[in-house]
Amino acid sequence: MLAIRLPEDIEKRLDALAKATGRSKTFYAREAILEHLADLEDLYLAEQRLIDIRAGRTKTIPLADVMKQYGLED
């Protein structure tokens, strides 16, 4: 179970969409979360990786080395 508070304008838009399509507001909220959750997870992971690189906890590998390792060099 999840309860969220939305800005009034967003709530009105969501309500109008639900009424116009005969679907529930919950349906559209769930669809929006499912659509964007992977992107948010990727963003969080990228931000954490950048923090680790800047702090010296993670090292980078030059693209040429990765290409060579996987036999993809020109």
Side-chain angles (χ1 to χ4, degrees):
M1 173 68 90
L2 174 68
I4 58 172
R5 293 182 194 266
L6 297 171
E8 187 176 337
D9 61 321
I10 300 299
E11 180 75 27
K12 286 180 182 178
R13 289 174 58 195
L14 185 58
D15 192 47
L17 178 62
K19 286 178 182 174
T21 62
R23 298 210 183 237
S24 68
K25 292 189 291 184
T26 300
F27 171 83
Y28 287 110
R30 182 175 41 248
E31 288 297 305
I33 290 169
L34 292 173
E35 179 71 25
H36 297 285
L37 186 57
D39 291 339
L40 293 170
E41 290 169 332
D42 290 345
L43 176 62
Y44 173 79
L45 179 62
E47 288 172 342
Q48 292 306 305
R49 181 66 67 200
L50 181 59
I51 289 168
D52 289 344
I53 290 168
R54 288 181 174 164
R57 292 186 295 264
T58 298
K59 294 187 179 188
T60 61
I61 301 170
L63 178 59
D65 292 354
V66 173
M67 300 283 284
K68 184 176 180 180
Q69 179 180 351
Y70 291 99
L72 301 172
E73 67 269 30
D74 292 331

